[in-house]
Amino acid sequence: MSTDIDYYNSSEFQKNLHEYENAKKTGAPVFLDSDELTDIAEYYDYLGDIENAMAVIELAICLYPDAIAPPLFKARIVLNRESNVGKAEELCEMVEDISDLDYILTKAEIMIADNRVIPAYDFLYQQLGNLAEEEHDMYVAEVANLFVDYGLTEHVSSWLKEANNASLDVFDELKSRILISNREYDEAERYINKLIDKSPYNVTFWNYLSKVQYYNSRFEESLISSEYALAISPDNDEALANKGDALYALGRYCEAMSYYKKLSDFMPHEVNWIIEQIKCLTLLGRLDDAEEYARKAIQMSENPYNNPFIAYWLAGEIQGLKGNTENALLLFDKAVNNGGCQSLDDLYEVFGFFANGNKDTSCKFLELYTDTNHLINNNSIETGSYHVTDKDDDHVDSPDK
């Protein structure tokens, strides 16, 4: 949402935000329309303040029950933050105007998130005949971007054949995203550089270039590209994140942390930037500070809209590094129980973390998960699937898959 920062800083938006926040404090009535309230909800979402975002959108739905934008915004929140497909569908169906493009795209996104990709494609294709000529190509681009968002680039090439004018600028940006999504980084960089030659002050293209260079492990170049982006738009959150990531990859953890802190100050409810600072502090050996930040991250993550897995995980690593093995095991256990392990590789990482000179602790951790019969990604953990090495070895054999 970095492209919205100029609007959020505009006098028009700030006036509406001040009116809403003042009314909230004083109990005065709100005289903003449904779109203005939805903009404020999107702003809070941008800041990571989901509770306030939901409060605004609930007010919008209450005041304007026939409006389109509020229920669709809430549908996307419960879909992306809570993974609640059923609730998202209920909210989407509150909209009576089923020809509205935002409704069509939200309905399709819910279907894609629910692994109904082909029905979603067919549904989207059926809408092409109902569009005004001036809407056609923008709709084609919006749908293609939706497919890229979900990594479904195999559907994009056939979909783009529906464009009437594929030379529009919106398709240039889309092609960049497709190449990046397909990990064709060298080709992506060549293409993005051509776009920058045509539009040297386009911050989005500089951000794409920085990201591609980062993915290609050319961190110094990624850093330079992020600085060009920041010269164009000093408060651009994606550019700030790209610069922090490049500095982190270069081992310049203090500098990287300063950019993550700036993002955290700007988005105080967004736990991800706290997580990045924890990583920096841990690598700097500032374990007491890292532990304090980890406690904050865990507290921030314990709500319906955040997954506490990473916060507990990093807290466990910190305790392990401090020699507090029992505490580390408890925190890793909480990571799996409360947040859900992302894959078996996550547990393998812990085995490796403890097995480096500590076979007994690795075995203890393995037994913990065998005894409690955890299921991770529908794969049960079986004792025979893991092989912990002798103390003289410096690795753990990977799990059988």
Side-chain angles (χ1 to χ4, degrees):
M1 292 182 63
S2 58
T3 53
D4 292 332
I5 190 66
D6 289 338
Y7 174 63
Y8 292 148
N9 288 333
S10 70
S11 58
E12 176 190 358
F13 176 79
Q14 287 296 318
K15 175 178 174 293
N16 291 338
L17 179 64
H18 176 75
E19 181 178 335
Y20 168 76
E21 292 186 337
N22 186 59
K24 184 180 177 182
K25 288 178 183 176
T26 62
V30 175
F31 296 105
L32 301 171
D33 65 31
S34 63
D35 288 336
E36 290 168 335
L37 288 170
T38 302
D39 285 346
I40 293 171
E42 288 176 343
Y43 170 72
Y44 284 132
D45 181 35
Y46 168 74
L47 297 181
D49 188 354
I50 306 303
E51 290 185 7
N52 269 321
M54 294 297 273
V56 179
I57 217 63
E58 291 289 358
L59 175 63
I61 291 172
C62 179
L63 293 176
Y64 305 100
D66 296 327
I68 293 172
L72 295 181
F73 171 83
K74 187 176 179 182
R76 289 190 293 270
I77 288 289
V78 300
L79 180 68
N80 297 318
R81 296 277 187 168
E82 301 177 26
S83 300
N84 191 329
V85 170
K87 189 175 179 181
E89 286 183 323
E90 288 178 10
L91 288 160
C92 194
E93 295 312 314
M94 289 175 63
V95 176
E96 293 183 3
D97 183 4
I98 61 174
S99 66
D100 180 81
L101 292 185
D102 199 18
Y103 165 82
I104 292 167
L105 292 168
T106 304
K107 183 178 177 69
E109 181 174 359
I110 293 168
M111 296 168 73
I112 291 170
D114 197 34
N115 294 317
R116 292 176 278 155
V117 178
I118 300 304
Y121 189 101
D122 293 341
F123 168 73
L124 291 164
Y125 185 82
Q126 290 167 9
Q127 313 307 315
L128 286 167
N130 303 324
L131 299 171
E133 184 177 351
E134 62 271 16
E135 295 176 323
H136 183 93
D137 281 347
M138 187 56 67
Y139 174 75
V140 170
E142 289 278 2
V143 171
N145 273 304
L146 176 61
F147 286 135
V148 176
D149 287 344
Y150 281 84
L152 301 171
T153 53
E154 67 272 18
H155 295 284
V156 175
S157 57
S158 61
W159 179 260
L160 287 179
K161 292 176 183 177
E162 303 299 330
N164 292 331
N165 184 4
S167 63
L168 294 175
D169 289 347
V170 67
F171 292 109
D172 287 337
E173 183 176 338
L174 176 60
K175 185 174 180 181
S176 303
R177 295 194 67 216
I178 294 168
L179 290 168
I180 294 170
S181 181
N182 288 337
R183 301 186 180 184
E184 299 175 45
Y185 300 136
D186 292 335
E187 178 61 25
E189 183 168 355
R190 284 191 290 271
Y191 187 75
I192 294 166
N193 272 315
K194 289 180 182 178
L195 298 180
I196 289 174
D197 288 341
K198 292 194 299 182
S199 303
Y201 298 104
N202 187 313
V203 68
T204 299
F205 294 157
W206 282 109
N207 281 333
Y208 283 164
L209 183 61
S210 177
K211 189 63 71 178
V212 165
Q213 291 164 334
Y214 177 88
Y215 290 150
N216 258 341
S217 300
R218 301 212 314 276
F219 305 124
E220 289 283 3
E221 293 172 62
S222 175
L223 177 60
I224 292 169
S225 295
S226 73
E227 289 170 343
Y228 275 110
L230 288 169
I232 298 166
S233 180
D235 293 326
N236 185 277
D237 57 310
E238 188 173 350
L240 290 167
N242 286 343
K243 185 166 184 178
D245 290 345
L247 289 166
Y248 182 94
L250 290 166
R252 294 160 61 177
Y253 304 123
C254 280
E255 293 172 84
M257 186 171 169
S258 69
Y259 285 91
Y260 296 139
K261 184 179 185 304
K262 186 171 184 177
L263 286 160
S264 185
D265 290 343
F266 186 60
M267 306 178 194
H269 300 275
E270 180 55 70
V271 70
N272 289 336
W273 306 126
I274 300 294
I275 293 293
E276 296 304 324
Q277 291 177 79
I278 294 169
K279 294 176 184 177
C280 292
L281 289 167
T282 302
L283 289 165
L284 288 167
R286 293 168 54 185
L287 298 182
D288 289 341
D289 291 334
E291 184 177 3
E292 180 180 344
Y293 274 64
R295 282 196 293 267
K296 181 178 181 180
I298 289 170
Q299 183 179 13
M300 291 174 67
S301 297
E302 290 179 337
N303 64 56
Y305 308 111
N306 286 317
N307 187 331
F309 172 80
I310 296 176
Y312 278 119
W313 192 270
L314 292 176
E317 288 193 346
I318 293 164
Q319 291 302 313
L321 289 168
K322 295 181 79 171
N324 301 327
T325 301
E326 294 298 326
N327 287 343
L329 293 174
L330 289 172
L331 286 163
F332 285 132
D333 191 41
K334 285 184 177 181
V336 176
N337 275 312
N338 295 318
C341 236
Q342 307 300 308
S343 71
L344 292 177
D345 288 339
D346 291 328
L347 288 188
Y348 170 46
E349 178 185 327
V350 178
F351 299 155
F353 181 76
F354 281 123
N356 189 9
N358 198 335
K359 175 182 175 182
D360 292 340
T361 306
S362 282
C363 288
K364 183 175 181 180
F365 187 70
L366 173 59
E367 289 168 2
L368 168 67
Y369 285 92
T370 303
D371 291 345
T372 54
N373 192 29
H374 285 290
L375 297 178
I376 300 175
N377 285 357
N378 298 319
N379 294 306
S380 60
I381 301 173
E382 299 175 358
T383 308
S385 298
Y386 298 88
H387 312 284
V388 182
T389 64
D390 292 333
K391 289 185 181 181
D392 293 337
D393 293 339
D394 59 0
H395 68 279
V396 180
D397 295 338
S398 62
D400 301 331
K401 295 183 179 178

